[in-house]
């Protein structure tokens, strides 16, 4: 009599599992209740504009503090040394960016993290 019971528990497990959407859109949102679309993140359409409006004012070739966020190759340097994500995610011990400002919105951070997860492509 034990086998049917185990079978029913397994079926229930599968059904319950399917109710959980492990999806960045659902996990992060964009803070306004609207859906945060991280599926189509690219350097040119997503990341470059984020850098332009939040970072480039302090991080161009002429005023960079050694860090340049305004072109792909220099941005890739701080992706590779880990400083981009640490600074924007406000990882403990990191220098928090934007300096003196507010943490970037959750959806913006989700996009930056996704782009890096995808290999920080120049796309
Ligand atoms: C108001 C000016 C300003 C803005 C805006 C700003 N930064 Fe910075 N950033 C600085 C300064 C100044 C430093 C050097 C801080 C230090 O060494 O204490 C710095 C340092 C950094 C560093 C190096 C941190 C380290 O650990 O060495 C990174 C990476 C960085 N910024 C990325 C960014 C990114 C990404 C943005 C946009 C989200 C941004 N910054 C926005 C001024 C700014």
């Amino acid at each position: 009599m034990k086998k049917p019971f185990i079978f029913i528990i397994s079926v229930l497990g599968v059904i319950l599992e399917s109710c959980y959407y492990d999806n960045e859109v659902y996990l992060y949102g964009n803070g306004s209740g609207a859906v945060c679309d991280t599926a189509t993140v690219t350097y040119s359409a997503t990341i470059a504009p984020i850098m332009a409006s939040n970072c480039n004012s302090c991080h161009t070739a002429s005023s960079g503090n050694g860090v340049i966020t305004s072109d792909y190759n220099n941005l890739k340097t701080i992706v590779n040394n880990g400083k981009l994500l640490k600074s924007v995610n406000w990882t403990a011990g990191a220098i928090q960016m934007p300096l003196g400002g507010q943490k970037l919105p959750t959806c913006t951070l989700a996009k930056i993290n996704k782009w890096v997860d995808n290999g920080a492509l120049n796309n």
Side-chain angles (χ1 to χ4, degrees):
M1 279 306 286
K2 266 198 174 152
K3 277 194 177 138
F5 180 70
I6 290 171
F7 176 69
I8 288 167
I9 294 291
S10 311
V11 170
L12 270 180
V14 170
I15 291 170
L16 289 177
E17 178 106 17
S18 64
C19 296
Y20 179 73
Y21 296 99
D22 188 7
N23 177 313
E24 254 160 302
V25 170
Y26 290 94
L27 292 178
Y28 297 112
N30 72 354
S32 71
V35 168
C36 176
D37 181 9
T38 60
T40 55
V41 169
T42 62
Y43 172 72
S44 56
T46 320
I47 301 302
I50 291 172
M51 293 300 132
S53 40
N54 298 288
C55 317
N56 295 356
S57 58
C58 298
H59 289 293
T60 55
S62 53
S63 61
N65 310 293
V67 172
I68 300 175
T69 56
S70 53
D71 68 83
Y72 175 79
N73 287 333
N74 281 298
L75 189 60
K76 192 75 198 301
T77 301
I78 60 167
V79 169
N80 291 345
N81 68 20
K83 288 190 173 180
L84 175 66
L85 288 193
K86 283 185 189 160
S87 67
V88 296
N89 290 330
W90 292 23
T91 304
I95 303 173
Q96 299 174 340
M97 293 293 141
L99 191 74
Q102 300 210 316
K103 197 173 182 179
L104 295 176
T106 310
C107 184
T108 305
L109 289 176
K111 288 174 178 173
I112 298 173
N113 284 284
K114 180 80 176 192
W115 177 67
V116 173
D117 281 353
N118 286 346
L121 302 177
N122 186 4
N123 53 9

